[in-house]
Amino acid sequence: MAKDPIRVLVTGAAGQIAYSLLYSVSKGDVFGLDQPVSLHLLDIPQMMGVLEGVVMELNDCAFPLLREIIPTADEKVAFSDIDAAFLVGAMPRREGMERKDLLAANVKIFKSQGKALDQFAKKDVKVLVVGNPANTNALICSKYAPSIPKENFTAMTRLDQNRASSQIANLLKVNVSNVANIIIWGNHSSTQYPDVSHAVVNINGSVTSVPDGVKDDAYLQGDFISTVQKRGAAVIAARKLSSAMSAAKAACDHMRDWFTGTLEGKFVSMGVISDGSYGTPPDVIYSFPVTIGPDRKWKIVQGLQISDFSQGKMKVTGDELLQEREEALSVCQD
């Protein structure tokens, strides 16, 4: 028996990230090669002409799994009965722009979308916020969708995990699939903490810890961290535009793992509502290592040994999230 299509919303659907994301979702890379999809594509009214071109291209791809495309500028149409949401649409960060400027512009967008989720979406909808500042946008979205569990709102730090894994793989001259369990703690910002202390790498068939494989703690606690933290800014400096292809791939990785589960012994980084684990501030969207079961429920990996160095880094990014939360809530006041 053929499966019923699932309804997948992509906001900012005429933008650069969506251009790559829609291809992967429609092809079956995210929800499965036997899972039909109906796409809800939301963008602002002035982008409807561009979105029309995107719809033409999706049709011209002749994807067997793509059953329906609904392009719209109406939040009610976009959010009605959706099973999954990629909230990509946001004002992008441009060269020289401060995160505070970004926060003020985007909080209002995600407040409105939270209300739309609350009113029109399925109550078990899985929401991934990609648009920056992603962690705090996800928190605001959740606040204005009180009928949907807080656990169903996540922020994307998978791009940071992918960036970190790639740096280690290139350094050790192994395939990136040989690197596992790098953790991104905290905020998707330049304060995030990419942590390799629990990561492993397969080198010529032998599995070892990443610190033992690299044998350079100064690099792992210095240039490695700053390279991952500043990678988004480096891409902007080179392209004059935000990361798009890599962001779309990370969004697909995140949602695929959420829907299909993580592999035994492996965990992934997701921005999720904090319960205070590892001394992090509660009630912010904080990136943790998580495992996901067949029930599509994530669990924070517990019992990891945290060094004093790591605790210091985790506190810095947690403090930033607390500050962002206060700024965002002040912008939200009606």
Side-chain angles (χ1 to χ4, degrees), residues 162-197:
N162 288 349
R163 286 166 169 166
S165 299
S166 173
Q167 293 294 321
I168 296 299
N170 290 339
L171 180 72
L172 295 175
K173 297 182 170 49
V174 299
N175 189 282
V176 73
S177 64
N178 289 8
V179 180
N181 295 356
I182 291 179
I183 299 168
I184 304 298
W185 298 102
N187 200 3
H188 174 63
S189 76
S190 59
T191 67
Q192 65 173 270
Y193 171 41
D195 176 13
V196 298
S197 54

Side-chain angles (χ1 to χ4, degrees), residues 6 8 20-35 37 65 84 86 128 248-261 296:
I6 61 170
V8 180
S20 293
L21 177 62
L22 291 168
Y23 175 85
S24 293
V25 170
S26 303
K27 185 164 163 278
D29 292 346
V30 181
F31 300 103
L33 296 173
D34 62 345
Q35 178 58 67
V37 294
L65 292 171
F86 294 89
L128 168 58
K249 162 66 165 56
C252 290
D253 290 345
H254 177 119
M255 193 68 84
R256 183 191 64 243
D257 285 345
W258 201 353
F259 268 74
T260 62
R296 298 178 183 169

Side-chain angles (χ1 to χ4, degrees), residues 59-75:
N59 281 319
D60 293 348
C61 285
F63 291 115
L65 292 171
L66 183 52
R67 299 298 163 81
E68 185 181 23
I69 308 171
I70 303 170
T72 184
D74 182 340
E75 284 187 342

